[in-house]
Amino acid sequence: MSDTWRILVVEGNKADRATLTEALARQGHDVGAVNSGGDALASYEAADLVVLDLDLPDLDGLEVCREIRAARDTPVITVTSRGSELDCVLALQAGADDYVVKPYGLRELMARLNAVMRRSRRTACADPGAEGAAVLEHGPLRIDSHSREVEMRGRPVPVTRKEFDLLALLASAPGRVISRESIMHQVWGESWSRRTVDTHVSSLRNKLGGPEWIVTVRGVGFKLRSMR
């Protein structure tokens, strides 16, 4: 019942590249594979989704991700052996929609691919927080649900799909605590983990200019700070 996607695998390790390409092809997808950042930048435009290894022989994978994101909204899932919170935050800040830490299982990767593609295709009609006003303004913070753009004091704030969805959800009820479970299910569906939410919150705080914008309510969840 799964759709067929054009997936570009960017993987510097020959064995990993062959294994992943074969596994995705068995799922019925049209898979292309390259082993360098330069080849990725030359061929990603034809892909519906990019699986990007961050450890490439020629270019920094984070820079490749930034280049793709600057030009197109093609979904990108990064694959990394760097499993620290900082490394994951850097990947998200570079524009990745999600990340997988090596070694990973195929089921986990496929769940994340499916979740990212579902969010990508329903973005225009089902944005969290879009049931109310198209533009949410909270002090100097402005969130446009139609264009999916965020501004802080008139300056654009680059966010990924999931960061936008998370921020729009919190901004739909500023000052109200939204439970971690509700955030997980509304933004990530069935593919989520506690660490995923925390990593995205950390990334958003950095992009908004400080930790005070998203308040942690210990044992419950998160809220956008009240301006009162």
Side-chain angles (χ1 to χ4, degrees), residues 136-207:
L136 299 171
E137 295 188 350
H138 190 61
L141 177 63
R142 185 178 187 274
I143 304 168
D144 190 325
S145 296
H146 285 172
S147 65
R148 293 179 66 81
E149 294 177 338
V150 177
E151 293 182 356
M152 176 63 76
R153 297 182 176 86
R155 296 183 177 181
V157 178
V159 294
T160 67
R161 282 184 188 83
K162 287 190 294 184
E163 288 173 350
F164 183 91
D165 291 344
L166 172 57
L167 183 59
L169 178 61
L170 294 173
S172 67
R176 189 185 78 191
V177 181
I178 300 179
S179 71
R180 184 184 296 274
E181 290 74 17
S182 180
I183 291 172
M184 287 173 175
H185 288 291
Q186 291 191 57
V187 178
W188 279 271
E190 70 275 15
S191 175
W192 51 263
S193 70
R194 180 185 181 92
R195 184 179 182 185
T196 296
V197 178
D198 292 343
T199 300
H200 281 74
V201 167
S202 177
S203 179
L204 273 175
R205 284 170 171 162
N206 289 333
K207 291 182 177 182

Side-chain angles (χ1 to χ4, degrees), residues 31-188:
V31 186
V34 296
N35 66 355
S36 70
D39 287 340
L41 293 175
S43 54
Y44 76 90
E45 293 183 1
D48 297 316
L49 182 144
V50 177
V51 180
L52 173 65
D53 180 22
L54 295 182
D55 298 310
L56 299 173
D58 58 338
L59 299 175
D60 182 354
L62 293 175
E63 183 58 33
V64 174
C65 188
R66 280 190 285 266
E67 290 284 338
I68 293 174
R69 183 57 65 238
R72 286 179 178 259
D73 204 26
T74 303
V76 177
I77 292 182
T78 58
V79 178
T80 177
S81 57
R82 318 166 198 170
S84 72
E85 180 181 3
L86 175 60
D87 290 319
C88 295
V89 167
L90 290 174
L92 295 171
Q93 289 179 336
D97 293 275
D98 206 346
Y99 61 88
V100 179
V101 178
K102 293 182 179 180
Y104 57 85
L106 180 60
R107 289 182 180 179
E108 177 189 3
L109 178 61
M110 289 309 303
R112 293 185 182 277
L113 292 179
N114 278 292
V116 165
M117 290 304 292
R118 279 197 305 273
R119 288 192 298 271
S120 175
R121 293 183 176 182
R122 74 185 182 211
T123 287
C125 59
D127 293 338
E131 294 180 359
V135 176
L136 299 171
E137 295 188 350
H138 190 61
L141 177 63
R142 185 178 187 274
I143 304 168
D144 190 325
S145 296
H146 285 172
S147 65
R148 293 179 66 81
E149 294 177 338
V150 177
E151 293 182 356
M152 176 63 76
R153 297 182 176 86
R155 296 183 177 181
V157 178
V159 294
T160 67
R161 282 184 188 83
K162 287 190 294 184
E163 288 173 350
F164 183 91
D165 291 344
L166 172 57
L167 183 59
L169 178 61
L170 294 173
S172 67
R176 189 185 78 191
V177 181
I178 300 179
S179 71
R180 184 184 296 274
E181 290 74 17
S182 180
I183 291 172
M184 287 173 175
H185 288 291
Q186 291 191 57
V187 178
W188 279 271

